[in-house]
Amino acid sequence: MEQKIVYLLTEIRPEFNFLESSNFIEEGMLDSFDIVSLVTSLDEKFEISIDGADILPKNFSSVEDIKKLLLKNGVLK
Amino acid sequence: MNLKFKNKRITGILTVLPENEIKFEDEIGNYNFSKSQSLKLKLIMGFDKRRVVKNGTTVSDLCIYGMNYLFEEKKINKDDIDALILVTESPDHFLPPTSHIIHGELNLKKDMFCLDINHGCSGYVFGLNQAFMLLEQEDINKVVVLNADVLSTKVSKKDRNSRPIIGDGASITIVEKDTEESTILSSVKADGKGANSLIIPAGGFRMPSTQKTAELKEDKAGNLRSLDHLYMKGDDVFNFVQREIPVQIENLLKTAGLNKNNIDYYMLHQPNKFMLKKLADKMEIPYEKMPNNIVENFGNASSVTIPTAITYNLGEKLMSDSFLICLAGYGVGLSWAAMLISLKELDFCKIINYK
């Protein structure tokens, strides 16, 4: 799952190395439109619909946070 | 707060849109999106075409144009109008009320309840609620609810958060007493703690416009705007909508003793496609029952998106058919409002262009 997440992140912002960051939001790697694009990609890739109320910057700060969000929204490990 | 109205109905809806159309592709250079990001957002958010007024056109111009069209087409009679309500965030002046300017230009009778309401994206439902309350009066039989905004003139050209979606327009909704037995249920809510989430900081009495308030400043995301421009905390507004609207609609359905499948259409305010799709997914409502095609075709003209969704998607059908519709608007205030209403055999339901 982590690999897929990093792949999708890199697809949206190819200029950044997401494996080297501890906080994508604080480090300015993802803005609100990137999050919208990422949610759409995650929905398609994992065949889910992430709950709109969970689309908060803090849930997209790291691969681990995104993984937690996916698990909460029905993606199996 | 729930509101209940008996024996009232909408008899006609007209949307008036400026003929002037702007395409997202023509403005891409104003924003700091990459080309691939722009194309992706066009699909996801519905950044495409929007109708905006040309310099100098105001809310009263759009409303007067639409009202004159209805008079000329003999859809309404001047003397039958007992109340005129205008819902807008972009009045012609601080004073007088723009509804009175419209009243004067149309030569309407003096025996008239004439009122401006300052509301935005939830304003269609607020305007209807006000109209239904007035119709409780013996002397009031026909209310004209005008919804209109020209906020495109208050959005920075370099603000990619708001500029690609903001459109202008007006709608005219005729509301009357119903001779048949009917019930309309509504729910209204407010959270003034979110007042700064959608704001034009300068230009009012708290912070008059000056050279300083007109200075463009760059935010973290690279948007350039001044204190005279509309500012929206997109994340906060999006989250508030996703949190509150499904609950509000669910509670309203419960109060009515209905379930979501009993509703023919969900006509919700349309700030962008992504927000509507997420609401539909969360509420498990098929996309065809919750149209999300207004912002991509016309832009988001605040309280005008709901009547535009009705006229654009149901138009002719509503001249002969009857549908149970859930309306919901949400935004500035913060405020949110929903309504369950039957729309049936309207006298008119269409869009015209303002030339």
Side-chain angles (χ1 to χ4, degrees), chain B residues 8-284:
Chain B
K8 316 280 186 293
R9 64 176 296 216
I10 289 173
T11 55
I13 307 174
L14 180 77
T15 302
V16 184
L17 296 173
E19 203 173 36
N20 183 35
E21 184 180 89
I22 290 184
K23 293 195 172 100
F24 175 61
E25 283 154 23
D26 296 335
E27 291 194 321
I28 280 179
N30 289 346
Y31 316 120
N32 60 347
F33 292 130
S34 66
K35 193 169 180 189
S36 63
Q37 196 182 17
S38 292
L39 294 173
K40 198 165 182 181
L41 289 172
K42 184 177 171 182
L43 292 174
I44 298 172
M45 300 291 281
F47 293 168
D48 198 355
K49 297 176 285 187
R50 54 198 185 90
R51 300 287 190 92
V52 299
V53 293
K54 289 185 175 163
N55 273 350
T57 302
T58 67
V59 153
S60 72
D61 295 329
L62 297 176
C63 293
I64 290 165
Y65 186 88
M67 289 297 289
N68 279 329
Y69 170 86
L70 293 177
F71 295 144
E72 283 158 21
E73 293 289 314
K74 301 198 184 318
K75 298 295 183 190
I76 49 171
N77 186 333
K78 270 186 194 186
D79 292 335
D80 292 343
I81 300 169
D82 302 310
L84 189 70
I85 297 166
L86 169 66
V87 185
T88 187
E89 303 170 290
S90 40
D92 288 14
H93 306 279
F94 280 133
L95 56 109
T98 307
S99 55
H100 286 67
I101 295 172
I102 296 166
H103 176 272
E105 289 293 325
L106 294 174
N107 289 314
L108 298 178
K109 66 187 185 192
K110 288 183 182 167
D111 205 16
M112 171 82 59
F113 189 103
C114 205
L115 175 74
D116 275 24
I117 296 176
N118 181 339
H119 247 304
C121 303
S122 56
Y124 190 63
V125 179
F126 276 99
L128 290 177
N129 277 325
Q130 182 63 55
F132 296 144
M133 289 181 214
L134 288 171
L135 286 166
E136 296 290 335
Q137 298 300 313
E138 209 171 289
D139 284 351
I140 298 182
N141 291 300
K142 191 184 286 254
V143 181
V144 173
V145 180
L146 304 166
N147 291 81
D149 268 304
V150 291
L151 281 172
S152 71
T153 54
K154 281 288 184 184
V155 182
S156 166
K157 286 182 180 169
K158 301 272 184 183
D159 183 350
R160 64 179 201 169
N161 278 1
S162 304
R163 183 81 174 183
I165 53 168
I166 297 292
D168 302 322
S171 69
I172 299 168
T173 305
I174 311 298
V175 189
E176 300 181 44
K177 287 174 179 160
D178 195 353
T179 48
E180 292 173 28
E181 194 78 14
S182 60
T183 302
I184 296 163
L185 281 177
S186 181
S187 162
V188 294
K189 291 187 185 275
D191 180 6
K193 290 197 166 47
N196 288 330
S197 296
L198 266 161
I199 188 168
I200 298 174
F205 288 97
R206 174 69 65 191
M207 189 191 294
S209 284
T210 60
Q211 264 188 331
K212 199 167 170 57
T213 64
E215 283 172 13
L216 290 173
K217 290 189 177 160
E218 188 168 349
D219 70 8
K220 273 186 195 169
N223 296 300
L224 283 166
R225 71 175 82 80
S226 76
L227 291 168
D228 291 336
H229 286 130
L230 181 137
Y231 168 63
M232 174 173 61
K233 280 185 195 166
D235 297 346
D236 287 2
V237 175
F238 179 87
N239 196 260
F240 135 74
V241 170
Q242 299 295 326
R243 211 176 50 239
E244 299 291 352
I245 304 311
V247 177
Q248 184 178 42
I249 291 177
E250 196 180 315
N251 286 339
L252 196 58
L253 289 169
K254 205 170 161 186
T255 305
L258 299 170
N259 69 58
K260 63 187 176 198
N261 299 321
N262 297 129
I263 305 298
D264 295 310
Y265 291 100
Y266 291 81
M267 293 297 185
L268 271 53
H269 170 56
Q270 299 196 20
N272 63 63
K273 281 187 89 154
F274 182 73
M275 188 182 276
L276 263 280
K277 280 193 169 182
K278 279 293 167 198
L279 282 174
D281 287 347
K282 185 164 182 164
M283 294 163 67
E284 297 180 328

Side-chain angles (χ1 to χ4, degrees), chain A residues 11-13 31-34 36-41 43 49-57, chain B residues 33 37 40-41 44-45 47 160-162 164 221 235 238-239 242-243 274 277-278 281-282 287:
Chain A
E11 207 174 42
I12 289 165
R13 297 303 293 262
D31 66 19
S32 56
F33 285 111
D34 295 326
V36 165
S37 298
L38 180 62
V39 167
T40 305
S41 300
D43 282 355
S49 177
I50 292 169
D51 188 328
D54 287 335
I55 304 176
L56 294 163
Chain B
F33 292 130
Q37 196 182 17
K40 198 165 182 181
L41 289 172
I44 298 172
M45 300 291 281
F47 293 168
R160 64 179 201 169
N161 278 1
S162 304
D235 297 346
F238 179 87
N239 196 260
Q242 299 295 326
R243 211 176 50 239
F274 182 73
K277 280 193 169 182
K278 279 293 167 198
D281 287 347
K282 185 164 182 164
Y287 295 151

Side-chain angles (χ1 to χ4, degrees), chain A residues 52-70:
Chain A
D54 287 335
I55 304 176
L56 294 163
K58 65 175 186 181
N59 291 332
F60 297 87
S61 297
S62 65
V63 171
E64 195 52 37
D65 288 333
I66 297 170
K67 191 178 155 188
K68 278 186 203 160
L69 181 68
L70 292 177

